Amino acid sequence: MAAKMLGKEGGSDSRFFTTQKKGEMHELKIELNSSDRHTKVDAVKKVIASMTVGKDVSMLFTDVLNCAQTGNIELKKLVYLYLINYAKSQPELTLLAVNTFVKDASDPNPLIRALAVRTMGCIRVDRITEYLCEPLSRALRDEDPYVRKTAAVCVAKLYDIAPDLVQERGFLQILHDLISDSNPSVVANGVAALSEIAETSGRDVMKITASVLQKLLAALNECTEWGQVFILDSLAKYSPAEAREAEGIIERVTPRLQHANSAVVMSAVKVILSYMDSLGNQNTDAIRNLNRKLAPPLVTLLNSEPEIQYVALRNINLIVQKRPSILENEIKVFFCKYNDPIYVKMEKLEIIIKLVSEKNIDQVLLEMKEYATEVDVDFVRKSVSAIGRCAVKLERAAERCIGVLLELIQTKVNYVVQEAVIVIKDIFRRYPNRYESIIATLCDNLDTLDEPLAKASMIWIIGEYAERIDNADELLDTFLETFEEEDPAVQLQLLTATVKCFLKNPEDTQDMVQRVLDMATEESDNPDLRDRGFIYWRLLSTDPEAAKIVVLGDKPVIEDDTFRLEPALLTTLIGQIATLSSVYHKPPDAFVVRGASGPSGIYDEEEEEDEEEYEDENDVGGGDLLDMGGLSMQDTPSAPEAQLKQVCSADKSGGFDIFAGFRQTNGNIIMDIEFNNVSSGTPLSNLAIQLNKNAFGLSPVNQQIVCNPPVAQGSSGRNSVELTITPNMLAPAPTGQPASPQVQVAIKNMASGNVFYFAADFSVEALFSPEGALDRSAFIEAWKSIDDTQELYGTVSDLPPSSTDIDQVQAKFKPYNIFFIARRPVPNAEGQEVVYFSMRTVSGMDFMAELTFKQGVNACKVCLKTENTSYGGLAKAVLEKLLLK
């Protein structure tokens, strides 16, 4: 086919890429104007070859354009390819080709008609679009299905350039009409175009009705495999009205599970999974039958090439979290083969952990034990870790898992022992006071520990069970010899473990705890270590009993995190099966930034593994990354004013309109209240204020408010109430729920005795501490320590000009104690830059943000990480609000 398209001599086209003699442009110009058709075709091929290898042949634009006046479809295709490439750089000259396009759009040959419409759609020049509408309108109603299906795709391309024009000319309605077309390929392209428009516009332009649904299902059996994918993806977004309708659609889609194309199979799986929720819990037989039908096609995908296997495994990972019963009897399929690539093996291990149960734990443990003897260190580590995760997941099998781990420890292989120590710590935390008899074995292998995480885990075990280890103080002392060289995580664990040891055995460890506290508070430059050291020192010196309650208190038992995705996120990702989202395990808006002007393509594709952003110091730093934009200590901006909003009307407060807002001044949290006396004959003078328990622990320092002068009728007065954070006023957010920004307030008018209540949304930025700046290394460490699943994402569009310039964004954030950390360009993404900020509340919560900007786009992608997930949404909202300011 390619040989026919490019010339009769199929294998000889490489000659067009050979180096030309001097004056090649002049020679090409002569050949392009030759009257001989073969010479002209060869000349255009040479031009395309030069263009392909990066040579600038734009000076031949007019000569190449003249070649379009031909009936030879091969030559016409080559000329149109050239025009598409140079249309943006030569928009004025491109207009010269309009007459050719319009003429070709009426050519008797349907291939030329379709080619003309397709090319006009690919030339993204605004001035061409007005000439495109008439030929496109005719093409959409063309008698030839090939022209109609080409025109359908062209509508989506035109919408990308001029959405208003598409709506004005009624092209969307014509696309809807094409869904009823007699040709299945036209139906498929119509669906694909509408889906693309819906995705880029954010509006439901598809509008699947009962009649449209039947037409889609009818076309499904007849169109091409990629047409089937488009139709299935559209069906996945449809919500059936009732269980019977869902069953009917599933029945029509099920045969697609046997398709040879893996994309069709995965799209069919997506439709069925999406509709299974609509069947209801009563329809257990139907769901059981569907589970049986879904397993074989998923298993078959694992016989494909490694790349397809990987994508299939990432999707299966989501499916088994949603419906583990589908593959519960197929765990052997996921056992690793000797020749599997490492990325496939890693994914298979994740799925094995999700499918492991008490029925199959024995064969899984035998398999894992085998994996632990492999040569690939990363795979061995993952396998040992998987054994520990099986123990955490299955209580009845925990003892067997520990037995396997002990056998692996006996191998004395360094990295095996270290990974085993790490997972045994988690087992101890999951099942306290049950398996501590193995501590002696762990202590015998202290010499093999050289990695920070393994050391920290072993130190935690020694400190937690110091009373059961005769020489706990001596073991800790061996680590203390290298305290200053250790990783911060190891130092923190050493500090805590030593204090635990002291509280359990004060007589023998007094000198040791004194030495550790001295090193932590006086010799360390790590603020976390210093702060913890001072806290322990004060606790031990003022109230040892309180220290015991704090340090030796019962720890919460860790939970099994096998199914770790939030249900809402999992449902979203199930709806995105067979897309990039299902591979990244992130919603589309987490890695796609869309232009604010409306439909556009993908501007930014996030790196597949966020950790890679931080592994190389130069990625986050180097040069002037920590340059504060020329600001000095004298440039400190003034504290922002509180934004007052009405919180209570006159009819509810005895004649006063009340406005309230929050701010921070000199480290103090202030609530500004303004009283407007609308109808009260008695001036407002003395008030008492009280706050209900809230998510921030806020309470007034002084409950009395004195209005001086009193607020008489028709006048207004403003007061500031200083707030403080009080632990017993804290109302923690329910587990897994976001914290509420509302602060409930009661105010009593002392003159009238009237009490009125209102709720004000707290401005979280008022909590940000002036001491919240992290140094770069601490920021990187903190960012890497937080799991990706705790990331919060958002995209802010329609930014003002001041929020598209990173220097101005820094200046805008600084008054709110949002501190700049670093900025860097995104590798392999021209014009993109990311900038990092940190915030710390006065109550000690840390938030870290990554903002991604693209030159020329007034939108920004926000990614926020924090251990305090309940408050993460509020912190992200602050950044988004300030960016739009």
Side-chain angles (χ1 to χ4, degrees):
M1 183 84 178
K4 289 178 184 175
M5 187 183 294
L6 294 176
K8 293 177 182 175
E9 304 174 49
S12 62
D13 284 354
S14 59
R15 70 186 189 280
F16 299 120
F17 291 85
T18 56
T19 307
Q20 303 291 321
K21 297 177 290 183
K22 270 192 171 182
E24 63 174 331
M25 293 302 163
H26 178 68
E27 289 181 11
L28 285 171
K29 190 183 281 277
I30 293 171
E31 290 176 12
L32 288 168
N33 291 292
S34 170
S35 57
D36 180 64
R37 185 173 67 83
H38 291 297
T39 304
K40 194 176 284 192
V41 170
D42 280 0
V44 177
K45 286 183 180 180
K46 288 176 187 174
V47 171
I48 298 295
S50 298
M51 183 179 79
T52 304
V53 297
K55 289 183 182 177
D56 182 13
V57 286
S58 59
M59 67 284 295
L60 298 172
F61 194 94
T62 309
D63 302 288
V64 174
L65 183 57
N66 289 334
C67 295
Q69 307 295 334
T70 177
N72 184 305
I73 193 163
E74 178 194 4
L75 182 55
K76 208 174 271 289
K77 281 183 178 179
L78 291 167
V79 172
Y80 282 177
L81 182 62
Y82 176 90
L83 288 177
I84 290 169
N85 192 64
Y86 281 112
K88 268 197 172 179
S89 59
Q90 305 274 0
E92 298 298 328
L93 292 175
T94 308
L95 290 173
L96 299 175
V98 167
N99 287 335
T100 306
F101 291 138
V102 174
K103 181 183 171 186
D104 285 352
S106 303
D107 195 276
N109 186 337
L111 292 175
I112 291 180
R113 293 202 299 274
L115 181 63
V117 172
R118 180 193 294 131
T119 307
M120 288 180 81
C122 290
I123 295 175
R124 303 176 65 83
V125 176
D126 291 338
R127 295 177 65 181
I128 290 282
T129 55
E130 56 191 274
Y131 300 101
L132 171 62
C133 291
E134 199 54 46
L136 179 58
S137 185
R138 287 201 307 272
L140 286 165
R141 296 181 174 88
D142 197 280
E143 61 184 19
D144 192 284
Y146 180 75
V147 179
R148 293 200 299 277
K149 78 170 193 172
T150 304
V153 175
C154 191
V155 173
K157 292 177 179 176
L158 180 60
Y159 190 90
D160 216 18
I161 307 166
D164 295 336
L165 190 61
V166 170
Q167 292 176 338
E168 285 169 18
R169 298 299 292 259
F171 289 144
L172 287 180
Q173 186 55 48
I174 299 173
L175 280 181
H176 278 288
D177 296 341
L178 289 183
I179 294 177
S180 306
D181 198 277
S182 57
N183 186 290
S185 293
V186 176
V187 175
N189 278 25
V191 170
L194 285 169
S195 299
E196 177 69 19
I197 291 169
E199 195 170 318
T200 53
S201 67
R203 296 186 297 113
D204 180 20
V205 296
M206 190 72 190
K207 297 174 184 169
I208 298 179
T209 60
S211 60
V212 169
L213 180 66
Q214 294 308 314
K215 288 164 187 169
L216 292 179
L217 291 170
L220 190 60
N221 296 323
E222 300 175 39
C223 60
T224 65
E225 53 193 18
W226 296 111
Q228 292 179 38
V229 170
F230 290 131
I231 292 174
L232 288 168
D233 285 349
S234 295
L235 289 174
K237 295 171 186 170
Y238 174 67
S239 299
E242 56 181 8
R244 187 177 299 173
E245 185 185 20
E247 275 190 79
I249 298 171
I250 289 173
E251 193 174 331
R252 301 279 290 275
V253 168
T254 302
R256 302 302 105 205
L257 294 173
Q258 313 304 323
H259 204 284
N261 187 315
S262 53
V264 176
V265 174
M266 289 310 300
S267 293
V269 168
K270 172 166 61 177
V271 174
I272 294 170
L273 282 172
S274 300
Y275 287 9
M276 280 171 78
D277 290 334
S278 303
L279 295 179
N281 296 327
Q282 292 77 23
N283 225 329
T284 51
D285 289 341
I287 290 174
R288 197 178 300 114
N289 287 334
L290 287 172
N291 285 346
R292 277 203 299 271
K293 289 177 182 177
L294 284 172
L298 292 173
V299 168
T300 304
L301 289 174
L302 299 183
N303 296 323
S304 311
E305 298 83 0
E307 294 79 10
I308 293 178
Q309 278 190 58
Y310 177 75
V311 173
L313 288 165
R314 292 293 286 172
N315 283 274
I316 289 169
N317 194 319
L318 296 173
I319 292 166
V320 296
Q321 290 187 58
K322 181 75 173 176
R323 294 193 177 272
S325 55
I326 292 174
L327 291 162
E328 63 184 356
N329 298 320
E330 305 288 347
I331 195 165
K332 282 188 177 180
V333 175
F334 300 100
F335 287 174
C336 301
K337 299 173 185 173
Y338 76 94
N339 59 346
D340 280 340
I342 183 65
Y343 55 86
V344 169
K345 287 181 176 179
M346 294 296 202
E347 280 307 311
K348 282 185 173 180
L349 275 178
E350 280 295 326
I351 294 168
I352 290 171
I353 294 165
K354 288 178 172 60
L355 293 177
V356 72
S357 64
E358 289 174 13
K359 293 179 187 175
N360 54 34
I361 182 64
D362 289 326
Q363 62 188 110
V364 168
L365 286 177
L366 279 173
E367 194 73 13
M368 299 280 192
K369 192 176 173 184
E370 195 69 33
Y371 298 160
T373 61
E374 293 276 348
V375 292
D376 190 297
V377 175
D378 290 335
F379 181 53
V380 172
R381 284 179 172 279
K382 184 88 171 177
S383 303
V384 176
S385 174
I387 296 170
R389 287 172 65 185
C390 289
V392 170
K393 180 181 178 182
L394 303 172
E395 185 172 352
R396 291 185 183 178
E399 193 162 343
R400 279 172 280 173
C401 295
I402 289 172
V404 173
L405 288 172
L406 289 176
E407 287 179 43
L408 293 174
I409 288 173
Q410 298 307 324
T411 63
K412 302 292 184 184
V413 177
N414 179 282
Y415 49 86
V416 172
V417 174
Q418 305 207 70
E419 199 65 37
V421 169
I422 293 168
V423 295
I424 286 171
K425 182 203 76 171
D426 289 337
I427 294 171
F428 284 173
R429 292 183 63 193
R430 181 78 172 97
Y431 309 112
N433 303 314
R434 287 190 36 194
Y435 300 110
E436 286 71 20
S437 57
I438 66 171
I439 291 175
T441 307
L442 299 180
C443 292
D444 291 341
N445 290 276
L446 283 182
D447 296 341
T448 60
L449 305 181
D450 55 23
E451 293 181 5
L453 198 53
K455 282 185 177 180
S457 299
M458 189 66 223
I459 292 164
W460 180 88
I461 292 170
I462 294 170
E464 191 68 16
Y465 300 102
E467 70 278 11
R468 304 186 187 200
I469 304 171
D470 295 335
N471 60 338
D473 53 337
E474 294 174 16
L475 296 176
L476 287 176
D477 209 37
T478 59
F479 288 107
L480 290 176
E481 291 171 7
T482 56
F483 182 86
E484 293 174 359
E485 290 81 39
E486 295 290 1
D487 186 87
V490 178
Q491 291 178 332
L492 286 165
Q493 282 296 354
L494 266 175
L495 174 59
T496 302
T498 308
V499 172
K500 285 179 182 177
C501 207
F502 171 72
L503 290 170
K504 292 174 181 178
N505 183 15
E507 294 175 4
D508 298 334
T509 54
Q510 189 161 353
D511 292 341
M512 184 169 70
V513 78
Q514 184 67 51
R515 182 155 54 99
V516 172
L517 289 172
D518 284 340
M519 287 191 289
T521 55
E522 295 176 12
E523 298 174 25
S524 172
D525 57 359
N526 184 327
D528 292 334
L529 186 63
R530 280 204 313 270
D531 289 351
R532 189 181 292 189
F534 282 126
I535 289 170
Y536 285 155
W537 203 321
R538 285 168 191 154
L539 273 172
L540 293 171
S541 58
T542 56
D543 191 347
E545 289 306 313
K548 282 186 179 179
I549 295 170
V550 171
V551 180
L552 302 179
D554 291 335
K555 314 291 185 300
V557 175
I558 64 169
E559 297 297 325
D560 169 31
D561 66 346
T562 303
F563 301 99
R564 61 184 180 181
L565 288 177
E566 293 290 329
L569 175 59
L570 182 58
T571 302
T572 301
L573 294 177
I574 289 291
Q576 297 290 337
I577 279 178
T579 68
L580 269 180
S581 282
S582 64
V583 178
Y584 288 160
H585 287 189
K586 294 178 181 178
D589 57 3
F591 56 91
V592 176
V593 177
R594 299 198 180 278
S597 58
S600 65
I602 294 175
Y603 284 134
D604 170 47
E605 183 171 301
E606 182 171 317
E607 291 82 1
E608 190 164 328
E609 292 185 16
D610 291 338
E611 291 82 15
E612 288 176 12
E613 294 179 2
Y614 300 98
E615 287 188 352
D616 185 354
E617 239 185 39
N618 294 324
D619 277 350
V620 186
D624 298 326
L625 277 182
L626 296 181
D627 175 28
M628 297 302 288
L631 297 176
S632 67
M633 294 300 287
Q634 283 70 39
D635 295 326
T636 305
S638 58
E641 290 293 317
Q643 306 234 339
L644 299 187
K645 294 180 181 176
Q646 185 168 4
V647 291
C648 195
S649 56
D651 58 324
K652 295 179 181 176
S653 60
F656 299 91
D657 279 340
I658 303 174
F659 299 80
F662 300 87
R663 60 186 168 90
Q664 187 184 130
T665 304
N666 299 325
N668 298 320
I669 304 168
I670 305 296
M671 179 182 184
D672 285 335
I673 308 178
E674 186 175 290
F675 301 95
N676 291 347
N677 192 335
V678 177
S679 58
S680 174
T682 308
L684 191 66
S685 55
N686 290 311
L687 302 163
I689 184 171
Q690 182 56 53
L691 271 58
N692 199 358
K693 284 189 176 183
N694 52 78
F696 311 99
L698 298 171
S699 64
V701 173
N702 186 352
Q703 293 185 326
Q704 300 302 312
I705 301 177
V706 178
C707 300
N708 189 14
V711 183
Q713 188 170 352
S715 65
S716 62
R718 187 162 176 165
N719 288 77
S720 296
V721 178
E722 186 179 342
L723 303 177
T724 187
I725 294 176
T726 310
N728 59 12
M729 287 295 290
L730 183 66
T735 305
Q737 298 294 316
S740 169
Q742 276 200 348
V743 176
Q744 297 174 342
V745 183
I747 293 183
K748 181 176 182 179
N749 186 338
M750 304 304 286
S752 64
N754 186 27
V755 179
F756 46 92
Y757 306 88
F758 60 84
D761 281 347
F762 181 64
S763 305
V764 179
E765 58 268 33
L767 271 185
F768 294 160
S769 166
E771 310 300 323
L774 295 174
D775 63 63
R776 191 176 66 197
S777 58
F779 181 94
I780 294 170
E781 193 68 36
W783 184 281
K784 289 170 69 176
S785 70
I786 298 174
D787 194 88
D788 286 353
T789 56
Q790 293 180 255
E791 291 178 356
L792 296 170
Y793 291 97
T795 301
V796 189
S797 301
D798 295 324
L799 294 178
S802 62
S803 291
T804 56
D805 179 86
I806 293 177
D807 292 328
Q808 292 188 54
V809 170
Q810 289 179 43
K812 186 184 286 192
F813 281 1
K814 190 171 182 184
Y816 296 92
N817 295 324
I818 301 172
F819 295 96
F820 169 71
I821 301 296
R823 62 190 284 185
R824 65 175 179 84
V826 177
N828 304 318
E830 188 176 349
Q832 284 192 44
E833 200 166 1
V834 291
V835 58
Y836 300 91
F837 293 92
S838 73
M839 302 146 270
R840 175 176 288 171
T841 65
V842 290
S843 54
M845 292 186 288
D846 281 320
F847 302 98
M848 292 160 290
E850 176 191 74
L851 273 57
T852 305
F853 295 89
K854 182 176 174 68
Q855 193 173 355
V857 178
N858 62 337
C860 169
K861 186 181 75 175
V862 178
C863 171
L864 186 131
K865 274 193 173 189
T866 179
E867 295 282 6
N868 307 94
T869 50
S870 297
Y871 295 85
L874 297 176
K876 182 170 78 73
V878 169
L879 297 177
E880 292 169 347
K881 178 177 74 175
L882 294 178
L883 284 168
L884 290 169
K885 197 170 178 182

